[in-house]
Amino acid sequence: MSEIATLVIDRGGHFDRFAIPFESGQSVLDGLRHIRETVDPTLAFRYSCLNANACKECMMLLDGKVVYACTARLEGREMHLAPLPNKTLLRDLATVIAPPDERLR
Amino acid sequence: MRHLSCDVLVIGAGGAGMYAAIEAARNGAQVLLVDRSLIGRGGGTVMAQMTVAAAVGPEGTDHWRHHLADTLAAGRGLCDPALARLLCEDGVEVIRQMEAWKVGWARDGDHLRSVQAPGHDRPRCVYVDFLSTGPAVSKTLRGMVQRTPGITRLGDALVTDLVKQGGAVTGAVGVHIESGDVLTIGAKATIIATGGLTRLYRRNSASANMGGDGYALALRAGAELIDMEFVQFFPIGHLAPRLIGMDPIMWDPFRYKLGGRLLNGLGEEFVDRYGSTDSGRYVVTRDLATYAITKEVEAGRGSPHGGAWLSFRHIEPARLRDAFGPVIDRLAAAGIDLGRDDLEVAPTAHYHMGGIRVDTRMATGVPGLFAAGEAVGGANGANRLSGNAITEALAFGRAAGRSAAGWDSGIAFNAEAARPAIALAHAEGPAGETAALFAGLQAIMSDNVGPFRTAAGLAAARDAVHALRAQMGAVPPGKPRPHDLARVDWFDLRQSLLVAECVIVAAAARTESRGAHQREDYPSMDENWTRNQVLRLIDERLELSDRAVPV
């Protein structure tokens, strides 16, 4: 049986709402990937492993708290997502998280 | 647009790429190590929680020749023996080198602890507890890369094309994902270390970055690909209940350590029915286990989500706790009690035996172009032996780094030669559903080009790939801007569709079943097919040929 999570995403000046059907246990990262595949392929967020919590790239704010999107679970309620506040914003939920000496200078 | 230059460009910062960068720099080269994601956090290595094979046992207990014999046997007659030997022989040195770099292999007193893994004639696999092998290897190499003078690291750099002048590769063009800027890179030598192609499949155990882009880069630059039909499916990838924050293939080491039971939907052991001996020692190879599970599901004896049950319920709680360590608490947090709950597992795309054709110097035959790690084809033939992937990454990375450090074609990078690639990286097109198209590709490959194939399914897959190519259009959507995944997906599709076609074309031509390539319409192995298939791209057209396996 699937429930609906409502992801409210801070996209730099405005918020977009996405209703995501999910099965129990699915991650916020699953929800974000679902949005890209079905609604908006330009939604920006970082990840490279898939729900393994190995790459540590998918950090963001969920309801004001820092989480990994791959270990936070979707819930049948409004969930507010925003980029990390202390990092340079690229777009949507993607921020600059690489060490300075791994960036283009 | 930004231009960078170096002696050696390494594309991909997993185990192979990082080792290659270290070795090239130690041999005097100025190295630029790029990754489309963060350095040392993407790719396959960091995901590998399993064991690593090398004949590092105490004197007299093992020898790399025994490891080689097992590797060749697993490869079903298709391994390039010289590459397989390099993996096994140099594997010993690189695993010891990693120990010296303090990776922290599990120990028994004064020697490394070696455990049994399927397909090996004796305990030969080292690991880092608990489920930390890949992360520990990545972290160790990341630290070494940082401490080795002569290496510049650059993340968020997606290489989209290699540049050729006078027949030699002289550098690359790419997109800086962070800014959207176009990059040109001049390099005397280039090493492709981008891993495999598991992202082509819906259910896979690697990172989202491994869509086979390195194969496409090599192919477009004139290199040959070999054994592209052989995709290894990991038989017991996690299927249900939904588990997050864990590697989907994590169950395997525990199954071998503890003797987890594989059961069908009726609760019966079944692997023995498929001509293998699974009970007791758990030595069944991956292709046979994948076959057995798939056939049980087809016969209506699968688990509820379409796989098999894996059970640890017969193991005493204290032994479970001892073997799983802190992992058991992470499982408990996910609502899984191994003393009470069985798990559903199913075949998952895990590794690609095929890849870029190289010699033992990791040279591709195109001057200035080298490859390393999973991106290389040939060492593992039709089926990779458990534990060989990290060993291959490290041993081949080292070889590639050494070879590339000494290479200079004497031709300086000229942006004029890069003009079409630069134009494409700058191109602006209409919005497109690129993420949906990629999901479509995964569906095609999973449904028709999985472990079991038919002529009809492969033909349908090829048509569907052509249809996707028409849908994606000739230019990326939108215009260059920071972190635009829709554009990144477009560049990925361009490469992945070509690579998918390589797998399909080679699979359609191989009218037999061998190792990871199983044809429902040709169910037996055919001695006449003890040959390698090779693909080239000539005038935008794939050309397939076959040749005798090297002696």
Side-chain angles (χ1 to χ4, degrees):
Chain A
M1 200 179 67
S2 98
E3 291 182 85
I4 303 286
T6 303
L7 298 185
V8 183
I9 301 179
D10 180 349
R11 304 191 72 177
H14 72 282
F15 294 85
D16 278 346
R17 299 169 66 88
F18 300 93
I20 310 295
F22 70 96
E23 283 185 19
S24 174
Q26 282 194 293
S27 68
V28 170
L29 182 63
D30 290 332
L32 293 171
R33 291 171 59 226
H34 179 80
I35 293 169
R36 288 202 64 240
E37 286 177 11
T38 58
V39 189
D40 183 358
T42 72
L43 178 67
F45 52 95
R46 302 192 70 113
Y47 71 103
S48 65
C49 77
L50 289 171
N51 288 335
N53 202 221
C55 71
K56 312 288 185 187
E57 281 196 50
C58 62
M59 270 186 292
M60 56 186 68
L61 289 186
L62 167 60
D63 299 327
K65 287 190 189 127
V66 177
V67 298
Y68 290 111
C70 70
T71 56
R73 285 159 190 272
L74 290 172
E75 294 169 22
R77 62 177 178 87
E78 256 188 25
M79 304 179 81
H80 291 256
L81 297 175
L84 292 175
N86 56 343
K87 302 280 181 187
T88 304
L89 179 65
L90 291 173
R91 232 159 41 75
D92 299 338
L93 302 172
T95 52
V96 175
I97 58 171
D101 60 350
E102 290 176 9
R103 299 183 54 207
L104 200 56
R105 279 153 286 176
Chain B
M1 197 163 78
R2 288 287 301 272
H3 181 72
L4 304 166
S5 59
C6 57
D7 296 329
V8 175
L9 168 64
V10 181
I11 307 170
M18 288 195 285
Y19 212 120
I22 294 164
E23 194 67 16
R26 289 178 149 197
N27 282 275
Q30 288 296 317
V31 177
L32 177 61
L33 173 63
V34 303
D35 195 283
R36 54 182 297 164
S37 174
L38 300 176
I39 299 296
R41 293 193 183 272
T45 303
V46 74
M47 293 284 289
Q49 298 187 341
M50 301 276 301
T51 58
V52 178
V56 292
E59 191 68 36
T61 61
D62 198 2
H63 190 276
W64 62 261
R65 289 185 187 281
H66 303 312
H67 183 192
L68 177 60
D70 287 345
T71 298
L72 296 177
R76 305 291 195 280
L78 294 193
C79 297
D80 179 331
L83 290 177
R85 174 178 171 161
L86 184 75
L87 190 164
C88 298
E89 187 175 8
D90 287 15
V92 175
E93 291 171 29
V94 292
I95 294 305
R96 294 230 165 93
Q97 180 64 71
M98 290 301 293
E99 174 67 2
W101 289 340
K102 301 190 176 0
V103 72
W105 304 125
R107 300 187 72 88
D108 280 326
D110 62 351
H111 61 267
L112 304 185
R113 181 181 301 165
S114 285
V115 295
Q116 182 72 44
H120 291 272
D121 70 347
R122 69 196 72 201
R124 183 180 291 134
C125 293
V126 299
Y127 62 95
V128 181
D129 265 328
F130 282 91
L131 292 181
S132 292
T133 298
V137 168
S138 287
K139 187 177 173 205
T140 301
L141 289 173
R142 218 160 52 225
M144 281 305 297
V145 162
Q146 285 167 10
R147 287 194 295 277
T148 304
I151 303 175
T152 302
R153 295 163 285 146
L154 178 64
D156 271 351
L158 173 68
V159 172
T160 51
D161 278 290
L162 299 178
V163 178
K164 266 183 96 178
Q165 295 164 239
V169 169
T170 56
V173 173
V175 173
H176 184 231
I177 296 172
E178 180 183 315
S179 61
D181 281 352
V182 175
L183 294 173
T184 56
I185 302 167
K188 290 174 185 159
T190 297
I191 300 171
I192 297 176
T194 49
L197 51 62
T198 39
R199 187 190 171 197
L200 299 185
Y201 293 87
R202 198 191 284 127
R203 196 187 290 148
N204 69 69
S205 65
S207 83
N209 296 343
M210 291 167 72
D213 56 340
Y215 302 138
L217 290 174
L219 201 59
R220 292 185 204 279
E224 293 179 329
L225 304 183
I226 188 167
D227 294 341
M228 290 299 285
E229 62 271 41
F230 294 104
V231 182
Q232 182 169 65
F233 284 76
F234 191 88
I236 58 167
H238 184 83
L239 182 61
R242 192 81 173 105
L243 186 59
I244 56 179
M246 308 280 269
D247 180 349
I249 68 159
M250 60 164 279
W251 298 116
D252 209 57
F254 300 116
R255 180 166 175 242
Y256 294 114
K257 257 194 229 176
L258 290 170
R261 299 171 71 208
L262 208 50
L263 307 170
N264 67 13
L266 307 175
E268 307 161 338
E269 292 192 327
F270 60 93
V271 177
D272 286 1
R273 297 175 192 170
Y274 297 91
S276 177
T277 49
D278 188 50
S279 301
R281 290 189 57 221
Y282 304 99
V283 292
V284 63
T285 53
R286 289 176 177 178
D287 47 356
L288 282 169
T290 295
Y291 183 77
I293 293 171
T294 306
K295 286 296 156 189
E296 284 298 293
V297 173
E298 275 179 17
R301 296 191 294 268
S303 65
H305 285 82
W309 292 108
L310 176 63
S311 180
F312 293 99
R313 281 188 292 153
H314 58 293
I315 315 281
E316 294 155 30
R319 273 193 75 209
L320 284 175
R321 162 68 59 181
D322 186 48
F324 279 86
V327 175
I328 213 155
D329 300 320
R330 287 161 67 190
L331 292 170
I336 296 171
D337 172 355
L338 294 178
R340 179 192 72 200
D341 306 318
D342 291 344
L343 311 147
E344 285 185 70
V345 293
T348 299
H350 180 56
Y351 177 87
H352 185 224
M353 273 68 74
I356 302 165
R357 188 157 180 253
V358 296
D359 60 20
T360 51
R361 299 171 57 248
M362 301 295 127
T364 62
V366 176
L369 184 61
F370 301 82
E374 188 178 350
V376 165
N380 297 290
N383 183 48
R384 177 176 63 84
L385 188 65
S386 176
N388 270 4
I390 299 273
T391 316
E392 173 184 61
L394 304 177
F396 289 13
R398 187 174 75 157
R402 272 181 197 172
S403 304
W407 179 264
D408 187 359
S409 63
I411 307 169
F413 176 87
N414 181 338
E416 194 54 33
R419 204 151 66 164
I422 293 169
L424 188 65
H426 276 126
E428 301 176 15
E433 297 300 322
T434 50
L437 293 179
F438 210 104
L441 173 60
Q442 292 175 319
I444 292 162
M445 294 300 285
S446 301
D447 295 344
N448 295 305
V449 200
F452 302 98
R453 298 148 178 192
T454 64
L458 292 167
R462 198 171 183 188
D463 289 346
V465 164
H466 289 168
L468 283 178
R469 191 172 290 145
Q471 278 178 275
M472 70 177 277
V475 286
K479 58 178 200 279
R481 58 175 183 165
H483 207 88
D484 189 334
L485 293 183
R487 280 177 75 86
V488 171
D489 273 343
W490 187 91
F491 284 106
D492 284 342
L493 270 170
R494 170 174 171 254
Q495 309 292 46
S496 293
L497 288 172
L498 176 60
V499 172
E501 188 160 3
C502 289
V503 178
I504 294 165
V505 165
R510 183 174 287 279
T511 48
E512 67 152 355
S513 291
R514 183 187 297 257
H517 169 77
Q518 295 289 322
R519 285 285 298 260
E520 307 250 33
D521 41 2
Y522 296 92
S524 305
M525 191 158 105
D526 177 352
E527 275 312 310
N528 296 317
W529 262 115
T530 306
R531 297 175 74 77
N532 298 113
Q533 295 196 99
V534 172
L535 280 149
R536 293 178 66 193
L537 191 66
I538 297 170
D539 298 330
E540 298 289 303
R541 221 167 36 82
L542 285 176
E543 219 177 79
L544 181 73
S545 59
D546 62 88
R547 58 192 74 185
V549 178
V551 183

